[in-house]
Amino acid sequence: MDEQVFFKKLKSLCTSTEVFDFVSSLEVMSDTMASGALQRISEVEVDDSGLKNPEGVLQNEVFRALCFQFEFKSSKLSNSGLLNALQALTKLRIDPQSTLMASLLSEGEERLGKGQLTVKNLCALGESLLELEGPSCATLEQIVNHMQEKDIEKWSPREMVMVYKMLQVTVREGEQYQDLLNRMNSVTLTIVSQLSPKFTSVILNSLVVLHQTRAVPLVTALCKHSVKHIPYFTGDELVNVLEAFLYFGHREQIFTEALETHVPKSIFTMHPQTVSKVMQYCCRKMILSKPIFNAVAEGFISDADRFTTDQIAEYIIPFGTLNYLPPSASSLFRKLETVLHTRFSHFKPHTLLNLLHSCVLIQHYPVNFLPKIFSPYFLQQLQAQPPGLDRIVTSQLTQLFLTVALECPFYEGPKLLRKYQVKAFLTPHSSLDVHLLKRVKTGLLYLLKKRIYFASEVSTPYFYTVDIEIKLDEEGFVLPAAQCEEVHRRIALCVDGQNRFCVNSHNLLGEEAIKQRHLQLLGYEVVQIPFFEIESLQNHRKMAEYLHKKIFPHTYELSC
C-alpha cells in the first residue's frame, strides 16, 4: 500500500482493535508505516491516567509481532522508523529496562554519536529520553550540542518547543547555551502566531525556568498571543502562562478580560489549583475583577470541602488584600468558618495567620479562632517555621490584636503579649507616594501660611503612621503640630497614591481600608486625599481650594 494512503486510513481509525485489524490485512509495510501504527495506538489508547486497556494492547498478537520486528531488526530500521517507534512505545509505558527498549535506545544513541540524525530525529530521541530517563539523562546535552549546528530558521514549531524543553533540563550555568537561546528567541518571535495553546504554554514556562529576562519582545508577543488560547488551555498550561505573567511582571488588559469571560463559565470544572493561580495572579497584580472574584466565591461555597488547606487560603486571601466582598459574602464566610472548624489543625501556621488576617481586612472577624492564634503554643509554631516571627508576621498579629480591641469589644479571650507586638505596622503595598505628598504639603502651606501647623509621616501610639496630621483646639482653630495641650480634634489626612488602590480602580486595598477605619475608631477625623481627585489640579491655589473644602468644609471660603 502507498504510504500516503496508509497514513490517511490510519488517521481515521479510533481504537487499537481497528488498527490491529488494518495492519494484519496488509501483506507488506515499511518500518515507517509500522512505527506509524504504533503511534496511532498510543494516541487512541493512552490518556492522562495511562494505558486504558493494557491487556488488550500488550497481549495482542499483532502488537507483539511488531515489537519483535523492531527489537531484532533495529540496526536495519530507518531513522524515522526507529525513533517514531521509540516515541510510541515510551507513551505506551513499555518497560524501559526491557530488551526491546534497550535495543531501540542503544541504536538511537549510536546513530546520534555518528551524527546521522536530522533535527526531527534529534527531537524525537530527546522527547523519548526526557520521558524515560528524566532531566538527569546525559545524552540530552549531546542532542542539544548537535542542535546548535543546525539551521534554526528551518525548525518547525514542534522542534523549537522540544529544544526549549531539553534546554530547560540541561542548562546548569547562567550563560550556558545563551547564544543558542538568543537565536531561538529571535526565530520564535517570528512564528508566535503559529503556536498552539500547548506550545505557547511550554515556551513561556521554559523562558521562566531559563531566566530569559532579556527576551522582552518574545515574552510580550507570547503573552498577547496567549489571550486567544485561554478557553483552550488545559489547567496546567494556564498555570504556566500565569506564572510567566507573574515572573516577567507582565500585565495585559485583554488577557484579564479573556479570563473574566472564561473563569465564570468554567469555575465548576476548573481544577482548584488553576483557580488558585488565577487568584494569585489577580492578587499580585492588584487586579480587582468582580466577575472572576464573584465566580470564585461561588466555586468556594460549592466545592471547598475538596480543596487543600493551601488552596482554601489562596481562594480567600485576595478578597481581603483587594478589599472586596462579593454578593455571596455571607455564604462565603459561613462556608469558610465551617471548613476552619473541621480542618483547623491541618493548616500550616503561617497559612492560617495569612488567611485570618485577610478576613479582618474586610470586617469578617474570626473571633472563634483567635484564642488559638494568640496562644503561646501557636506563637511557638509560628516561630519554629520559616519565616518565623519576622516583621510582616508580627505586624499581622498586632493588627489582629488591634482589630479585636477596636471592633470586637465582646471578645474576652487571650490577648497578644506585648513582646509579640510591633511598634509600627509594616505596609509594603501602601508605601507613601512621595511626589503626591509633596504636592499636598505645598497646598497646605499655601492654605495655612505656616509649616508649623501640620506634621507629616507622624507615628502614633496605635501602630499606624499618619500621612499628615492637623490639630485643632475646641473652637476649631489650627494648633501648631508640636503642641500637645488643648488638642480637641485630630485630623488625619490620608494621601492615597495609585499604589494604595487596585489597578485601574478607585477601590482601596484592604490594608489601607483597615488603617483608615481604625484611625476613625481611635478618634481621628479621617480625610482621604485620593490621587484621582488632585491629579488634574494645576497650581497651588487650586490645590489649596481643594484642601480647604476637604478639611474645613463648614468654615469660611478661602480668600488668598
Side-chain angles (χ1 to χ4, degrees):
M1 181 181 281
D2 175 71
E3 281 200 3
Q4 201 170 355
V5 176
F6 172 85
F7 281 106
K8 187 175 180 182
K9 171 71 175 170
L10 192 63
K11 197 172 180 182
S12 69
L13 306 179
C14 299
T15 67
S16 58
T17 305
E18 290 177 353
V19 176
F20 291 138
D21 289 344
F22 175 49
V23 168
S24 59
S25 71
L26 302 174
E27 289 183 19
V28 180
M29 62 178 173
S30 67
D31 64 353
T32 311
M33 292 160 73
S35 65
L38 289 176
Q39 284 197 310
R40 186 60 186 160
I41 293 165
S42 73
E43 289 166 3
V44 298
E45 290 293 344
V46 176
D47 58 20
D48 291 340
S49 57
L51 190 55
K52 289 185 270 189
N53 179 19
E55 198 171 323
V57 174
L58 304 183
Q59 301 303 320
N60 184 278
E61 286 181 12
V62 177
F63 180 78
R64 293 167 73 91
L66 287 171
C67 290
F68 183 85
Q69 294 293 323
F70 279 109
E71 180 176 345
F72 293 103
K73 295 186 178 179
S74 60
S75 62
K76 297 177 182 176
L77 298 172
S78 67
N79 286 341
S80 295
L82 171 74
L83 296 166
N84 290 347
L86 180 61
Q87 272 188 304
L89 294 168
T90 301
K91 287 178 187 170
L92 289 165
R93 313 288 202 275
I94 303 301
D95 181 5
Q97 306 302 320
S98 65
T99 53
L100 166 63
M101 296 299 278
S103 174
L104 294 176
L105 276 170
S106 172
E107 183 63 30
E109 290 177 1
E110 187 178 329
R111 296 184 194 188
L112 170 67
K114 292 177 180 175
Q116 297 174 349
L117 303 182
T118 65
V119 168
K120 189 174 183 180
N121 301 153
L122 289 166
C123 288
L125 180 59
E127 188 170 0
S128 299
L129 288 169
L130 265 176
E131 186 68 32
L132 291 169
E133 300 184 27
S136 60
C137 176
T139 311
L140 289 171
E141 197 161 342
Q142 200 178 339
I143 294 173
V144 172
N145 288 332
H146 279 281
M147 295 298 289
Q148 286 197 96
E149 300 163 11
K150 306 293 184 182
D151 185 353
I152 296 175
E153 294 189 2
K154 293 180 180 175
W155 295 359
S156 70
R158 177 177 294 280
E159 289 158 359
M160 190 73 79
V161 166
M162 198 58 239
V163 179
Y164 273 115
K165 285 174 79 171
M166 286 190 282
L167 282 168
Q168 241 180 281
V169 299
T170 54
V171 172
R172 294 180 185 85
E173 299 161 22
E175 296 298 314
Q176 190 184 19
Y177 297 118
Q178 189 57 54
D179 287 344
L180 173 61
L181 274 165
N182 290 342
R183 287 186 288 140
M184 287 173 60
N185 293 343
S186 297
V187 175
T188 303
L189 183 58
T190 66
I191 61 166
V192 165
S193 61
Q194 302 171 38
L195 297 176
S196 66
K198 181 179 179 179
F199 289 174
T200 303
S201 170
V202 169
I203 293 176
L204 276 171
N205 180 242
S206 296
L207 294 174
V208 170
V209 173
L210 295 164
H211 309 298
Q212 295 299 290
T213 50
R214 286 174 286 183
V216 176
L218 176 57
V219 170
T220 304
L222 287 167
C223 287
K224 287 182 176 176
H225 180 64
S226 68
V227 173
K228 72 177 186 180
H229 289 322
I230 282 180
Y232 312 108
F233 284 127
T234 65
D236 288 342
E237 287 166 2
L238 182 54
V239 166
N240 282 344
V241 172
L242 290 164
E243 284 178 343
F245 269 79
L246 290 169
Y247 179 81
F248 292 108
H250 201 76
R251 187 174 66 229
E252 286 282 345
Q253 181 60 28
I254 53 172
F255 182 82
T256 304
E257 289 166 5
L259 282 176
E260 287 177 339
T261 302
H262 175 66
V263 173
K265 285 195 293 191
S266 313
I267 190 66
F268 296 109
T269 55
M270 291 174 75
H271 191 281
Q273 197 55 42
T274 309
V275 180
S276 294
K277 187 57 70 173
V278 171
M279 291 301 274
Q280 185 190 358
Y281 169 75
C282 290
C283 194
R284 293 255 300 271
K285 296 290 185 183
M286 302 299 163
I287 299 168
L288 174 55
S289 166
K290 292 181 182 179
I292 293 174
F293 277 52
N294 293 346
V296 169
E298 294 297 337
F300 186 90
I301 293 162
S302 172
D303 297 327
D305 294 321
R306 66 186 181 91
F307 296 171
T308 66
T309 52
D310 283 347
Q311 287 165 354
I312 289 165
E314 287 158 356
Y315 267 62
I316 297 296
I317 287 171
F319 286 94
T321 304
L322 303 190
N323 185 30
Y324 178 66
L325 287 171
S328 58
S330 57
S331 300
L332 175 68
F333 285 96
R334 204 161 43 242
K335 182 68 176 181
L336 176 62
E337 184 157 1
T338 303
V339 171
L340 283 171
H341 272 298
T342 309
R343 301 167 66 187
F344 188 88
S345 61
H346 299 168
F347 282 85
K348 290 179 277 195
H350 289 281
T351 303
L352 188 61
L353 177 61
N354 286 331
L355 176 59
L356 298 184
H357 177 258
S358 72
C359 291
V360 301
L361 297 179
I362 42 178
Q363 295 178 274
H364 278 266
Y365 311 110
V367 285
N368 293 330
F369 307 103
L370 289 178
K372 293 179 181 176
I373 297 295
F374 294 149
S375 72
Y377 173 69
F378 183 80
L379 295 169
Q380 284 167 10
Q381 284 186 305
L382 281 175
Q383 194 157 19
Q385 297 178 18
L389 288 171
D390 67 5
R391 183 81 186 280
I392 293 173
V393 172
T394 48
S395 285
Q396 288 178 321
L397 286 166
T398 307
Q399 198 158 43
L400 274 174
F401 165 69
L402 183 61
T403 301
V404 168
L406 293 175
E407 302 184 61
C408 308
F410 51 85
Y411 173 76
E412 295 179 351
K415 305 290 194 290
L416 183 68
L417 295 175
R418 187 171 293 277
K419 69 176 180 177
Y420 296 112
Q421 296 175 24
V422 292
K423 292 181 180 175
F425 287 132
L426 185 67
T427 49
H429 296 306
S430 301
S431 54
L432 196 53
D433 184 327
V434 179
H435 175 67
L436 201 65
L437 180 69
K438 187 176 178 182
R439 288 190 63 205
V440 173
K441 283 161 69 174
T442 304
L444 275 176
L445 188 59
Y446 194 91
L447 174 66
L448 301 176
K449 308 304 181 193
K450 289 185 180 179
R451 181 65 181 81
I452 62 167
Y453 291 120
F454 62 91
S456 59
E457 298 178 73
V458 179
S459 297
T460 71
Y462 314 109
F463 317 108
Y464 291 110
T465 300
V466 173
D467 298 338
I468 295 176
E469 184 183 56
I470 298 172
K471 298 174 180 176
L472 306 178
D473 66 12
E474 197 168 354
E475 294 177 11
F477 290 108
V478 179
L479 297 170
Q483 185 169 325
C484 297
E485 299 82 24
E486 300 178 4
V487 178
H488 188 67
R489 291 162 57 200
R490 293 175 187 267
I491 298 174
L493 267 59
C494 294
V495 183
D496 295 329
Q498 288 190 35
N499 56 342
R500 291 184 178 177
F501 293 87
C502 300
V503 168
N504 301 327
S505 164
H506 294 172
N507 195 78
L508 271 179
L509 295 174
E511 59 191 17
E512 187 60 27
I514 195 173
K515 172 186 171 180
Q516 296 185 16
R517 194 166 77 238
H518 282 178
L519 286 174
Q520 276 189 314
L521 291 169
L522 289 163
Y524 285 89
E525 293 177 30
V526 175
V527 176
Q528 191 186 5
I529 312 291
F531 74 95
F532 50 83
E533 288 183 359
I534 61 175
E535 58 190 355
S536 61
L537 302 177
Q538 300 300 322
N539 55 48
H540 301 331
R541 178 183 172 81
K542 286 198 164 133
M543 177 67 84
E545 287 173 351
Y546 165 83
L547 291 170
H548 182 267
K549 286 175 185 171
K550 289 285 284 196
I551 304 167
F552 308 110
H554 305 300
T555 57
Y556 58 87
E557 289 298 314
L558 179 66
S559 58
C560 299

